[in-house]
Amino acid sequence: MGSYISNQVHFVWATKDREPLIKPGWRERLHGFLGGILDKKKCHLLAAGGVDDHVHVLASLSATVSLAEIAGALKANSSRWIHETIPGTENFQWQEGYGAFSVSKSAEPRVANYVRTQEEHHSRQSFQDEFLALLEKHKITYDDRYLWV
């Protein structure tokens, strides 16, 4: 018998110090590149979105990779791509950590819509408030001293 996995994960991470560096002119290309990274890891991009200081990725992970491996690959490879492809981004960096939240198959359409409509969402809520709400919704404990590092 083979392995049968349903493992959808909502990833969120920010630019270092939440600097507004992800410009609308190349944001969609970044989202597409993130999808390519997932494809190479035999995973699937379900939705990508974000605004100038952070990214959301909803992905279906394969049975052969760890969540930490995917998060590391997404951040490292996209940072390299940004430096090599986008002029004027020599100082671009992602923050150290990330959020990763499990998503049930039944909630996938709602979360995908949320990920795709980030610009609208952030007209009403800051990234910090959004991230705290995600942590609380998923009952993840955190230490304020290390949250925004």
Side-chain angles (χ1 to χ4, degrees):
M1 179 173 172
S3 299
Y4 302 95
I5 306 275
S6 177
N7 188 15
Q8 290 75 236
V9 179
H10 175 193
F11 292 96
V12 183
W13 67 91
T15 58
K16 186 170 177 68
D17 299 322
R18 287 160 313 287
E19 290 289 326
L21 302 174
I22 306 170
K23 303 303 180 194
W26 53 271
R27 191 175 298 150
E28 290 297 321
R29 289 171 53 209
L30 169 62
H31 299 160
F33 188 79
L34 293 167
I37 295 167
L38 289 165
D39 286 346
K40 287 182 179 167
K41 295 287 189 179
K42 306 221 181 324
C43 298
H44 183 64
L45 178 68
L46 302 171
V51 292
D52 57 1
D53 66 349
H54 71 282
V55 170
H56 290 254
V57 171
L58 178 59
S60 177
L61 304 189
S62 74
T64 59
V65 297
S66 73
L67 185 146
E69 176 186 350
I70 293 302
L74 287 168
K75 290 176 66 182
N77 289 312
S78 63
S79 181
R80 184 174 351 96
W81 177 83
I82 290 166
H83 289 139
E84 292 174 354
T85 309
I86 309 301
T89 59
E90 299 79 21
N91 295 323
F92 183 92
Q93 289 182 304
W94 294 119
Q95 70 178 35
E96 293 227 3
Y98 59 91
F101 309 99
S102 60
V103 175
S104 68
K105 195 68 177 163
S106 62
E108 181 184 310
R110 182 179 46 78
V111 175
N113 183 60
Y114 173 80
V115 166
R116 288 186 190 108
T117 58
Q118 282 293 295
E119 289 192 39
E120 175 187 324
H121 176 73
H122 284 290
S123 68
R124 301 182 307 270
Q125 185 179 42
S126 71
F127 169 69
Q128 289 90 332
D129 289 343
E130 172 190 47
F131 196 74
L132 288 172
L134 284 166
L135 292 174
E136 290 172 18
K137 176 181 179 184
H138 291 272
K139 300 196 182 327
I140 298 173
T141 58
Y142 57 90
D143 186 330
D144 288 330
R145 295 176 296 172
Y146 306 111
L147 195 54
W148 308 116
V149 181

